[in-house]
Amino acid sequence: MSGSALMQLGTKALFANYAALQATGNNISNANTKGYSRQEVQLESAGGQFSGAGFFGKGVNVTTVARAHNDFLTREAASSRSLAAADSVRSDQLKQLETVFATGESGIGYSAGQFLNAFVDVASNPQDLAARQVVLGQAEEVASRFRAAGQQIDSLQAGVTADIKASINSVNTLAKRVADINTQITLAQGSGHQPNDLLDQRDQLISEISAQIQVTTIPASDGSMSVFIGGGQRLVLGGEATTLAAVPDTFDPAKVRVGISDSSGTHALPDNLVTGGTVAGLLRFQGKDLVDARNLLGQMAAALAGAVNNQQALGLDLGTPASAGAPIFSTGAQTVLPASSNAKDAFGNPVASYVNAQGTLVPTVSFTITNASALMASSYEVKPDPATAGNYLVTRQSDGVQVSVASGATVDGFQLDVVAPLPAAGDRFLLQPVGSAALNMARVLDDPKGIAAASPVTASIGINNTGTATIANVKAVSNTLNPNLTATVTFTSNTGNYDWELRDASNTLVSNGSATWTAGQSISLNGFQLDLNGVPKTGDVVTVAKTPFPATNNGNARALTDLRDASIVGQQGGTGGNNITDAYADVMTGVGVRVQGAQLSADMSTSVASDAKAAVSEKTGVNLDEEAARLIQFQQSYQAAAKMLQVAQSVMDTLLQVAAR
């Protein structure tokens, strides 16, 4: 082997070890760079040269600089990060929602109970204006608490909307950068070597997109990476990025959804196709948790206001003359939202609408609350029934239960009304019987004399009765009550059989009948409810007639007090109900369970994401101890290569000296 061959071997070794030192130094420099993957110089033998004495090696070649990378681990880390982000953001939002439903004396349930308790003092002294003023004060307090809770929910919705828009803007920016890097990588592929730093940057950008919205990736032969969202919707394809947009909800413009913009316009994606990232968590919170909370809160507000107003209307106030009680609460107008996709006229107004007396354009689909206690905590979608002409499909959104009814039918405590111009096939409307009740709840009665404490009818026991029966309570329970009719109940046996008669002011018989009474059972006639204590005997008589002195009567105040324990808040499916305090406790419990469940999911998914990140870091991360050891190794190799060159130089000098002689 000549001196020049030895010189060539040393030069190659020197270059290879310098390259290794350079790569190691770069690793150390980027040890704390986010998304950086460890790089390593790839070496190969330069082969051998044949001679009569055999093959002599020709040294080493640097083939490329490769990065430590694992496609599977990288995808798993991005996917788990996406799910963790969705769970975490929903957990954070639910914790904020939990503060809406305060506990103890700060809660709505306590305030509602105090309001109904205030009628006790009115019942004790119906003419006491101070006691009546306390009732109105408590009414204002409970209404203000409902309004405050409704405003908090609206604020949460506004925050969610802003966060979704911010996330979508972030995704658009990141997607554009991925597309630009795809172009650079495609151009660099022509060199035959991978642009490691660009690949790291692209992986990091895709991971950041995943934190906002879950994506799937497909590599292309030219080195680019295609990115898809929402069940195959293109986000990045080669060097082109699709723009996402925040589009208004089909029914409620206060809400936003994720949309894809292309040459044909912007199209909203179904929420269930957005399965990960902060956007998915926010959409789930907006579409389920926030809607449920608003409806549950509104259901309680509507039920309380409806029950109180109905009972108030059945009593008599302190007016001169006494008249039926005016409403104490108002919960605002009912809400009907037409879908943005409904048919429109030449002016852009929904075809199925009309201008009311106030000049406002309103949908032809409307509803009227007929029984506040039967209202469910839900919104309802209404559309024409394609199978039955003239009918409409009403879908309860809380559980998906659907019924086909005609206009005028009653569903879950409200009556559906549809007038011309009738909705066209495909038109849809969202009915919110309770959605805005809490936000709009207000006390509308200001005069304490307006509280209807008196019952329009009074019961009395016959003076010749021999049984132990006494009057426990008598109250109006229906607006069909005619106080001008006198009801006489005559017990015909000790077993509880009785005859009854209704007579007008001229003592003319209006109607009569027979029935059987048992202990604890109410007697209902002419729109009133009569309760007895003790046991009547044969021949005993109970008379119910118009209240002669309403100012001193407390029958309706007692009935209003009884609402504390009455089941006025309906339950899903119409299976019974709760009183107002128990209903509020159930809502608090339900929200608390959601918070705990969301926190558990967030902890689990965050742990999985952390493990996935650690696995990627173990594969691709820089270990400074290892790099320091490699520095020493390559330094020694470099020094040995330099020594080889020194020896080769010495050999060359010796050969030249010999040749010169």
Side-chain angles (χ1 to χ4, degrees):
M1 178 180 291
S2 65
S4 61
L6 189 60
M7 182 72 73
Q8 186 178 16
L9 287 172
T11 301
K12 287 186 175 183
L14 195 69
F15 177 75
N17 285 288
Y18 180 78
L21 284 170
Q22 187 176 10
T24 303
N26 189 51
N27 289 339
I28 294 173
S29 299
N30 289 281
N32 298 312
T33 301
K34 193 174 182 178
Y36 176 81
S37 298
R38 185 180 68 255
Q39 297 180 7
E40 183 178 6
V41 173
Q42 300 291 319
L43 305 176
E44 67 176 7
S45 174
Q49 181 177 3
F50 178 75
S51 70
F55 286 89
F56 286 89
K58 297 173 63 177
V60 64
N61 291 329
V62 176
T63 58
T64 191
V65 179
R67 65 178 183 137
H69 180 70
N70 185 292
D71 286 336
F72 173 77
L73 293 179
T74 301
R75 286 196 303 270
E76 285 298 301
S79 177
S80 60
R81 181 183 182 185
S82 183
L83 295 177
D87 289 340
S88 295
V89 74
R90 177 171 177 258
S91 176
D92 292 341
Q93 293 292 332
L94 279 171
K95 289 176 182 176
Q96 296 183 52
L97 178 61
E98 190 176 26
T99 63
V100 174
F101 300 93
T103 60
E105 295 185 3
S106 300
I108 291 173
Y110 176 83
S111 180
Q114 290 295 99
F115 162 66
L116 296 174
N117 283 336
F119 284 103
V120 172
D121 290 336
V122 176
S124 299
N125 188 355
Q127 294 179 302
D128 186 356
L129 293 182
R132 289 168 171 262
Q133 191 61 55
V134 169
V135 169
L136 294 183
Q138 292 292 347
E140 178 60 34
E141 175 66 18
V142 71
S144 66
R145 290 196 183 187
F146 271 113
R147 285 199 306 274
Q151 290 165 0
Q152 285 180 273
I153 289 179
D154 276 2
S155 296
L156 286 174
Q157 176 61 67
V160 168
T161 299
D163 289 346
I164 291 175
K165 290 180 178 179
S167 292
I168 288 175
N169 290 336
S170 177
V171 169
N172 286 334
T173 301
L174 295 170
K176 184 64 173 62
R177 291 176 61 188
V178 170
D180 292 341
I181 290 179
N182 270 345
T183 301
Q184 298 177 50
I185 290 174
T186 300
L187 293 174
Q189 288 288 98
S191 67
H193 297 277
Q194 289 189 339
N196 296 324
D197 293 328
L198 290 177
L199 293 173
D200 284 345
Q201 292 177 33
R202 186 175 67 186
D203 286 348
Q204 181 62 27
L205 289 172
I206 291 175
S207 177
E208 292 178 7
I209 293 176
S210 295
Q212 303 294 335
I213 187 169
Q214 190 167 35
V215 300
T216 55
T217 56
I218 300 178
S221 58
D222 62 357
S224 65
M225 183 74 75
S226 297
V227 183
F228 301 90
I229 65 169
Q233 298 294 324
R234 181 184 71 185
L235 181 62
V236 178
L237 188 62
E240 297 182 357
T242 302
T243 302
L244 300 184
V247 298
D249 181 73
T250 305
F251 294 107
D252 188 355
K255 302 177 183 177
V256 293
R257 300 168 62 189
V258 178
I260 293 279
S261 298
D262 55 28
S263 57
S264 62
T266 302
H267 313 282
L269 291 175
D271 289 351
N272 59 0
L273 292 183
V274 184
T275 55
T278 57
V279 173
L282 291 170
L283 288 176
R284 182 180 177 188
F285 176 74
Q286 170 187 259
K288 180 63 179 173
D289 303 314
L290 210 52
V291 168
D292 288 349
R294 179 181 282 110
N295 284 333
L296 287 166
L297 193 66
Q299 181 193 27
M300 289 187 292
L304 178 64
V308 170
N309 288 347
N310 288 342
Q311 193 61 53
Q312 166 84 350
L314 296 176
L316 300 175
D317 61 18
L318 276 181
T320 307
S323 59
I328 294 178
F329 294 112
S330 170
T331 55
Q334 311 307 324
T335 306
V336 178
L337 303 173
S340 57
S341 58
N342 286 3
K344 296 179 177 61
D345 60 22
F347 301 99
N349 298 319
V351 173
S353 62
Y354 66 97
V355 178
N356 63 13
Q358 290 73 38
T360 303
L361 189 71
V362 296
T364 57
V365 175
S366 62
F367 65 93
T368 304
I369 294 178
T370 57
N371 183 0
S373 294
L375 293 173
M376 296 291 103
S378 179
S379 300
Y380 297 78
E381 183 180 306
V382 177
K383 61 184 178 181
D385 186 351
T388 306
N391 270 23
Y392 298 88
L393 292 175
V394 181
T395 304
R396 189 165 61 204
Q397 294 197 318
S398 60
D399 57 9
V401 172
Q402 187 178 80
V403 294
S404 177
V405 298
S407 176
T410 299
V411 179
D412 289 349
F414 66 88
Q415 177 180 304
L416 175 68
D417 298 301
V418 184
V419 298
L422 299 179
D427 284 355
R428 296 180 298 150
F429 299 84
L430 187 70
L431 277 56
Q432 296 181 327
V434 298
S436 59
L439 182 65
N440 296 323
M441 190 172 184
R443 190 200 74 190
V444 293
L445 181 65
D446 295 325
D447 186 358
K449 291 183 178 180
I451 295 175
S455 172
V457 291
T458 304
S460 60
I461 297 293
I463 58 175
N464 295 320
N465 286 4
T466 58
T468 60
T470 58
I471 305 299
N473 190 30
V474 60
K475 62 182 179 181
V477 294
S478 172
N479 55 15
T480 62
L481 184 145
N482 184 352
N484 294 315
L485 297 181
T486 299
T488 302
V489 176
T490 303
F491 289 89
T492 57
S493 73
N494 291 338
T495 60
N497 294 335
Y498 65 88
D499 295 335
W500 58 269
E501 294 180 343
L502 289 178
R503 294 181 179 271
D504 62 18
S506 64
N507 203 34
T508 301
L509 181 66
V510 174
S511 62
N512 59 1
S514 299
T516 301
W517 174 86
T518 58
Q521 177 185 355
S522 299
I523 296 175
S524 297
L525 291 173
N526 188 32
F528 66 79
Q529 176 180 306
L530 172 65
D531 296 311
L532 299 177
N533 290 327
V535 178
K537 289 188 176 182
T538 303
D540 285 358
V541 176
V542 177
T543 303
V544 179
K546 183 176 181 179
T547 300
F549 304 106
T552 59
N553 187 274
N554 68 353
N556 206 53
R558 295 175 63 187
L560 286 163
T561 304
D562 290 343
L563 293 178
R564 293 175 303 181
D565 303 315
S567 299
I568 63 175
V569 183
Q571 291 183 323
Q572 195 80 309
T575 55
N578 279 328
N579 61 51
I580 187 67
T581 53
D582 287 347
Y584 184 72
D586 286 349
V587 172
M588 285 196 303
T589 300
V591 173
V593 168
R594 292 196 191 199
V595 170
Q596 292 178 355
Q599 184 61 56
L600 180 61
S601 295
D603 290 343
M604 292 177 62
S605 57
T606 299
S607 177
V608 171
S610 179
D611 290 343
K613 182 179 179 181
V616 172
S617 179
E618 184 177 352
K619 174 68 178 179
T620 67
V622 176
N623 185 312
L624 291 176
D625 291 336
E626 292 180 1
E627 299 304 320
R630 290 192 181 97
L631 273 180
I632 297 174
Q633 173 189 348
F634 297 139
Q635 179 189 21
Q636 292 175 344
S637 297
Y638 185 87
Q639 291 172 343
K643 187 66 175 179
M644 189 187 307
L645 287 175
Q646 183 180 2
V647 170
Q649 181 65 45
S650 177
V651 170
M652 288 293 295
D653 290 343
T654 300
L655 290 174
L656 289 174
Q657 290 175 5
V658 171
R661 294 177 184 170

